[in-house]
Amino acid sequence: MSLSHSTPLVPRRGRTVGAAVATVALLIAAWHPGMHRSAQAAAGDKPAPAVPVRVATVQRKDVPLAMTGMGSVLPMASVSVRTRVDGQLEAVNFKEGQDVKAGQVLARLDARALQAALAQAQGTLARDNAQLTNARADLQRYTELQQQDAATRQQLDTQAALVRQLTATVQSDTAAVSAAQVQLSYATLAAPLSGRIGARLVDPGNIVHATDAAGLLVINQIDPIAVQFTLPEGAFQAINSALHGPAPLQVQAIDRATREVLATGELTLLNNQIDVTTGTIAMKARFANPDHKLWPGQSVDARLVLGQQRDALTVPAAAVQRGPNGLFSYVVDADNKARVQPIEVGSSEGNTAVVTKGLKAGDRVVTDGQFRLAPGTAVREAKEGGEGKGADKPAGAKAANGSQGAAS
């Protein structure tokens, strides 16, 4: 019996290991990014669709040249109303939180002692006036007698001196009457200025003194009203130059939460020195406040307008983006592809930013949809009311994942 030559038999365990190795190799090949991209290219996949964005054109126009600082609202004037004489508070003629006019009676003290002092001074004046009248009559008689040699010169001179003495006494009595009248007027407390009353600090029936520190009430003048704010000392030269212009510098009081312009006024004070501890200079502005939108103690942003910046390059503020290397904008080129353009921004006015470097008039910049973009991304202008801001965030996340896959 002859034996034929045949392929040697492979053990079953060897065949199992070989199949496992082949399977792993196929999986690695299938999921390797480079091989995956090659397979897609071989299959002839279409390029990614253009990303919808909103676009604006860089324009040249005049914009206000302004600086903004943190400020607080102050009353234009604040007065603590105190009594100038001691006495019992008899009545108050105001309500807490009431608006009052200058000269309006606010409170009255018990004035009986002051009225008595005035009456006494008036009585003394009347008595001395009577004595002066009699002395003048005697002086007239002595003058006539001396001319007739019926009276001596000494008698005439003595009577003249008495008249002068009584004249001085009457003058003193008149001043005493005036002083008593002034003291009596202090028993009636009137508003020294127009404004709004705060809380009542003393109730009727209490004894008040001229030395009381707190006083009876506080009046704040809130129309007009003031805003005190600070700006960096580096702004001093520009502000000082603008102050020499023909018109007062305009200041806007802006609500910090809503960014609403609450009132527009004018600069009234540039402080006479720079605060060396903070490196700032203090200023004050005056505002008409008929609607009481500004209130003492309120925190606001004060925007000082120094003039007009002529022919400035402007873009919507939404086009300005911040990255790890500074500010930039996405610029759409002639092929409708986005590129990153570093920029420098000088100032902003509302929703408009002034670009000092990096852009030129006519450039198209992306104002919405930046989260979807990467350098070289194809873009198209979104339709109004169609593709909006709501899709930015998911699209951005999607683009980020794509970028991560490409990077790997």
Side-chain angles (χ1 to χ4, degrees):
M1 182 176 177
S2 63
L3 296 175
S4 60
H5 181 74
S6 62
T7 304
L9 297 177
V10 179
R12 178 174 306 204
R13 182 176 179 182
R15 289 198 302 270
T16 304
V17 172
V21 170
T23 302
V24 171
L26 288 173
L27 288 174
I28 293 174
W31 288 101
H32 191 278
M35 297 180 66
H36 184 56
R37 288 193 293 270
S38 299
Q40 286 182 338
D45 284 353
K46 296 181 179 180
V51 175
V53 295
R54 300 197 187 281
V55 178
T57 303
V58 180
Q59 298 179 348
R60 285 193 177 274
K61 61 181 181 180
D62 296 343
V63 295
L65 182 61
M67 300 178 179
T68 302
M70 298 176 60
S72 58
V73 182
L74 304 174
M76 184 60 67
S78 182
V79 176
S80 295
V81 179
R82 298 181 174 90
T83 178
R84 301 178 70 173
V85 293
D86 297 346
Q88 185 177 26
L89 183 60
E90 196 170 68
V92 293
N93 301 331
F94 65 88
K95 295 180 180 179
E96 294 176 313
Q98 175 185 346
D99 289 323
V100 295
K101 299 293 184 181
Q104 181 175 333
V105 175
L106 303 177
R108 297 183 186 277
L109 303 180
D110 183 2
R112 291 174 294 178
L114 299 174
Q115 290 170 342
L118 174 59
Q120 182 179 7
Q122 289 172 335
T124 302
L125 174 61
R127 180 197 64 195
D128 292 339
N129 261 325
Q131 293 177 350
L132 176 59
T133 301
N134 183 59
R136 283 173 175 169
D138 287 344
L139 177 60
Q140 181 64 30
R141 285 192 291 269
Y142 278 119
T143 301
E144 294 175 355
L145 291 173
Q146 200 274 337
Q147 291 174 353
Q148 299 172 6
D149 292 331
T152 64
R153 183 67 186 181
Q154 181 181 5
Q155 290 175 321
L156 180 61
D157 292 342
T158 300
Q159 190 62 34
L162 178 61
V163 168
R164 290 193 297 271
Q165 177 183 347
L166 291 175
T167 300
T169 301
V170 168
Q171 290 176 345
S172 177
D173 294 341
T174 302
V177 169
S178 297
Q181 289 173 335
V182 171
Q183 291 293 309
L184 179 60
S185 70
Y186 291 158
T188 301
L189 283 76
L193 76 167
S194 298
R196 175 161 293 197
I197 294 176
R200 185 177 68 241
L201 304 179
V202 179
D203 295 326
N206 284 284
I207 302 297
V208 294
H209 305 275
T211 56
D212 292 341
L216 306 181
L217 64 140
V218 176
I219 301 176
N220 284 336
Q221 187 178 15
I222 58 177
D223 184 18
I225 203 166
V227 171
Q228 182 172 314
F229 62 101
T230 58
L231 286 174
E233 62 177 310
F236 168 75
Q237 296 299 338
I239 299 171
N240 193 41
S241 298
L243 277 174
H244 293 86
L249 297 185
Q250 185 186 88
V251 181
Q252 295 175 338
I254 302 173
D255 186 275
R256 289 185 180 174
T258 64
R259 309 311 301 169
E260 174 192 1
V261 177
L262 302 177
T264 300
E266 61 184 41
L267 187 69
T268 58
L269 170 67
L270 176 65
N271 202 17
N272 58 1
Q273 67 177 14
I274 294 173
D275 189 339
V276 295
T277 60
T278 61
T280 60
I281 186 165
M283 283 162 282
K284 186 182 289 185
R286 181 182 183 273
F287 296 83
N289 193 34
D291 298 329
H292 296 169
K293 288 187 176 181
L294 298 177
W295 207 252
Q298 180 181 0
S299 296
V300 296
D301 285 339
R303 182 174 175 275
L304 175 64
V305 180
L306 299 179
Q308 289 285 329
Q309 188 171 353
R310 304 292 181 184
D311 203 29
L313 280 175
T314 62
V315 296
V320 180
Q321 302 291 305
R322 184 177 294 277
N325 297 323
L327 301 180
F328 70 93
S329 287
Y330 279 106
V331 177
V332 180
D333 60 18
D335 297 328
N336 288 329
K337 291 186 177 181
R339 62 179 174 85
V340 174
Q341 178 61 50
I343 62 173
E344 293 181 7
V345 175
S347 62
S348 60
E349 166 62 21
N351 294 323
T352 302
V354 176
V355 178
T356 58
K357 185 178 180 181
L359 296 175
K360 63 180 182 299
D363 284 347
R364 295 188 299 159
V365 292
V366 179
T367 60
D368 185 20
Q370 294 96 329
F371 291 106
R372 302 179 175 191
L373 302 181
T377 302
V379 300
R380 62 181 176 85
E381 194 163 353
K383 298 178 181 179
E384 289 293 334
E387 298 130 320
K389 297 181 179 180
D392 284 351
K393 193 170 183 179
K398 192 173 182 180
N401 292 336
S403 301
Q404 185 177 355
S408 63

